[in-house]
Amino acid sequence: LANLGDSTAAHALIDHINILEKWDRESFLVSLAHGNHHMSIREAALAKLAASIDERSAPALISAMARTRLADPEFVGLLTGLGQSTVTALLDGLAHPPRHVRSGCLKALGAMKAEAARGAIAECLRAREPVVRVAAAMALAEIGSADAVPALLASAGDKSWEVREAVAKGLGQFVALAAAGNLTRLTGDP
């Protein structure tokens, strides 16, 4: 299916991987992975999947993340690789009840530097779950817009130390960016 390069095939592949029992899933992935014995089964299957998906696959990938009950870095990487056209699907993913889905969508939005999603990401700083608030702080920092500083500062007193740490690191990145600008100006100083 993955070799067809068709988004319909990609949807079927995603669904098939998620409904198989663990043993069957491994057997299925082995069949996808033939050829490169140095690559893990999971890496090979995801590589095949990455080669066959497009932006229309984003909702299926987000649903797959929900069904697997974890935000695999690979799912986040696949979503990020689809580009800016998936921002709408990722924003929709922020409404998913499972925290790992929202966290994964936030990570993808940050990695994509999705400036248009900054407001929705800032809203996630008020989520009930610390893991979502951490992902939101990290995403805002990764986007790198100075407009995110007030939202990060508002979360500096969060009750979760993990959130406070992510906010501090995020604010530190803005300081580093400002310093880099000043250093660049100094290189031209006689």
Side-chain angles (χ1 to χ4, degrees):
L1 285 173
N3 288 334
L4 294 176
D6 177 359
S7 68
T8 306
H11 289 285
L13 182 61
I14 292 166
D15 289 340
H16 192 62
I17 288 172
N18 282 300
I19 62 172
L20 293 172
E21 292 298 320
K22 184 176 192 254
W23 179 259
D24 292 336
R25 184 180 307 142
E26 288 176 8
S27 297
F28 178 70
L29 294 177
V30 167
S31 71
L32 289 176
H34 67 84
N36 186 347
H37 301 292
H38 300 289
M39 193 181 262
S40 77
I41 295 167
R42 183 174 185 76
E43 289 170 338
L46 286 162
K48 291 277 190 182
L49 184 58
S52 66
I53 60 175
D54 59 25
E55 66 277 354
R56 295 171 294 180
S57 304
L61 285 168
I62 293 168
S63 293
M65 230 180 355
R67 287 192 303 270
T68 59
R69 294 184 177 82
L70 57 119
D72 282 342
E74 292 89 355
F75 276 124
V76 173
L78 286 171
L79 287 164
T80 302
L82 293 175
Q84 292 292 320
S85 59
T86 62
V87 169
T88 301
L90 290 168
L91 288 171
D92 291 344
L94 296 180
H96 266 270
R99 65 180 176 249
H100 68 276
V101 173
R102 287 181 282 146
S103 176
C105 290
L106 287 164
K107 289 174 185 176
L109 288 165
M112 292 167 56
K113 303 198 181 304
E115 177 69 33
R118 194 181 70 246
I121 295 169
E123 286 294 317
C124 291
L125 287 170
R126 288 181 262 212
R128 189 175 45 143
E129 305 91 342
V131 69
V132 175
R133 296 194 308 271
V134 166
M138 292 170 55
L140 286 173
E142 206 165 348
I143 290 170
S145 170
D147 293 337
V149 171
L152 288 170
L153 286 172
S155 292
D158 194 282
K159 61 186 174 200
S160 166
W161 70 266
E162 292 98 339
V163 175
R164 293 192 307 272
E165 179 182 46
V167 166
K169 286 180 179 178
L171 290 170
Q173 287 181 325
F174 288 108
V175 171
L177 288 172
N182 287 327
L183 289 173
T184 302
R185 272 187 267 135
L186 288 173
T187 60
D189 191 4

